[in-house]
Amino acid sequence: MAAQITSFYLPPEAPPPEPVYWIWKVQDNGEGPDDPPDFGSALAGVPGARAFAFCKLGDARAMAPSIRGNVQVRPPDLP
């Protein structure tokens, strides 16, 4: 995912010069109690061209089990 996030409690890192996009990856592994934990990567602040390349091609950044929350991937027409 890539997004322009305008407000953080504490930014995860110093952002690059404007415009800043934050990129990260998530993996939804199901909702049941027997399903494995969801996975996610750390946020990274990047310029717009890098965000476009990330969305088009992805990257090899590591993902790990989510320590907070639950990833829910939904179709774009759901609220």
Side-chain angles (χ1 to χ4, degrees):
M1 290 185 270
Q4 285 189 304
I5 301 173
T6 59
S7 179
F8 282 102
Y9 173 66
L10 292 174
E13 64 180 44
E18 295 286 338
V20 174
Y21 289 82
W22 294 91
I23 59 173
W24 69 101
K25 301 187 301 187
V26 295
Q27 178 179 318
D28 184 352
N29 288 323
E31 298 296 320
D34 297 325
D35 290 329
D38 296 335
F39 274 64
S41 69
L43 287 170
V46 299
R50 176 67 184 100
F52 178 78
F54 172 80
C55 288
K56 187 170 181 170
L57 304 170
D59 72 0
R61 290 181 316 122
M63 295 196 326
S66 178
I67 59 173
R68 279 185 277 182
N70 176 37
V71 173
Q72 292 187 335
V73 177
R74 298 178 179 197
D77 59 335
L78 292 178

